[in-house]
Amino acid sequence: NAGVTQTPKFRVLKTGQSMTLLCAQDMNHEYMYWYRQDPGMGLRLIHYSVGEGTTAKGEVPDGYNVSRLKKQNFLLGLESAAPSQTSVYFCASRGPRTGDVLSYEQYFGPGTRLTVT
Amino acid sequence: EDQVTQSPEALRLQEGESSSLNCSYTVSGLRGLFWYRQDPGKGPEFLFTLYSAGEEKEKERLKATLTKKESFLHITAPKPEDSATYLCAVRATGNQFYFGTGTSLTVIP
């Protein structure tokens, strides 16, 4: 049981390049989230998904797109990278329940450190 | 506007010196307050969920409490391995979560 994994761990892009970050979870969780973490800003929600085939915007969605074609995967895309997108990106997932109890705690991946020059 | 504020930003303790971290929040319709621990270069790790004022949760040297306006993470007799950044998050209406900027804790042997 690997939990939440993220690919790649590190990436350097030039302004205008595109890339996709992959998040995978093996806990059969319905909900998945993409956050970015910047110094002094805390974790900010980019996009999230409440189930396969559904996505929604979070707090800072501009410049990003997402897809959830399979329940276990959540992809984050940058179509034209900008230096302002230099950050550490975290994926998280959560299930609706832990046993018989409604559950809202999130399980995070190890992060992707992205630098845009 | 939903907001989460954590204090202090950084805290240095001697081993065994107990203290508390604060998380104050203003949200419309709190549906849960969460504490996470984050080690350098890693993702946040879940610690506690609190749902209603007066609720308390404990785990080893950590105890989380909740009032109508704030939460405290009490650390009793900390050890160097408790050094980490502690994050607070709230869930308001909907499926979004709002995180504070964290408190960086250093426990000196």
Side-chain angles (χ1 to χ4, degrees):
Chain A
N1 189 337
V4 180
T5 58
Q6 293 184 232
T7 309
K9 288 185 169 51
F10 302 94
R11 186 72 186 268
V12 178
L13 287 180
K14 293 185 177 180
T15 298
Q17 288 184 322
S18 63
M19 76 165 294
T20 300
L21 283 67
L22 171 64
C23 174
Q25 53 94 4
D26 60 3
M27 297 173 281
N28 201 35
H29 283 171
E30 292 291 336
Y31 302 84
M32 297 187 73
Y33 305 82
W34 275 108
Y35 292 90
R36 59 178 289 173
Q37 187 174 43
D38 302 291
M41 299 289 292
L43 283 158
R44 291 181 292 167
L45 183 64
I46 304 171
H47 286 279
Y48 64 98
S49 169
V50 300
E52 182 179 319
T54 70
T55 63
K57 294 180 180 180
E59 188 182 356
V60 288
D62 294 341
Y64 305 95
N65 56 74
V66 288
S67 64
R68 183 103 180 266
L69 299 179
K70 294 183 179 180
K71 186 177 182 178
Q72 63 267 34
N73 296 337
F74 195 27
L75 279 63
L76 178 70
L78 287 73
E79 291 187 347
S80 180
S84 60
Q85 295 177 303
T86 293
S87 187
V88 181
Y89 292 86
F90 287 101
C91 175
S93 72
R94 74 171 179 91
R97 285 183 173 78
T98 299
D100 294 330
V101 178
L102 285 175
S103 168
Y104 297 101
E105 61 262 27
Q106 297 174 70
Y107 296 85
F108 284 82
T112 294
R113 185 173 296 275
L114 174 66
T115 301
V116 183
T117 61
Chain B
E1 179 181 321
D2 297 331
Q3 192 168 358
V4 179
T5 303
Q6 291 188 248
S7 62
E9 287 186 16
L11 182 63
R12 289 171 64 90
L13 299 173
Q14 292 289 331
E15 185 173 0
E17 179 186 3
S18 302
S19 188
S20 297
L21 313 182
N22 178 263
C23 172
S24 63
Y25 60 90
T26 52
V27 295
S28 51
L30 180 71
R31 293 190 173 189
L33 185 140
F34 307 84
W35 283 98
Y36 291 84
R37 169 189 170 127
Q38 186 174 23
D39 292 300
K42 297 189 176 182
E45 177 185 348
F46 171 75
L47 292 173
F48 303 109
T49 306
L50 301 166
Y51 287 107
S52 56
E55 189 175 358
E56 298 182 353
K57 295 273 181 74
E58 282 189 73
K59 181 180 180 180
E60 296 180 353
R61 296 177 292 282
L62 300 177
K63 178 179 176 181
T65 62
L66 181 65
T67 71
K68 289 186 177 180
K69 294 183 178 180
E70 59 191 350
S71 176
F72 292 93
L73 185 65
H74 307 279
I75 304 176
T76 302
K79 298 181 178 181
E81 53 262 41
D82 294 322
S83 297
T85 295
Y86 291 86
L87 303 175
C88 170
V90 299
R91 175 176 179 261
T93 54
N95 286 299
Q96 297 199 26
F97 295 78
Y98 298 93
F99 281 80
T101 53
T103 293
S104 176
L105 173 67
T106 303
V107 182
I108 305 162

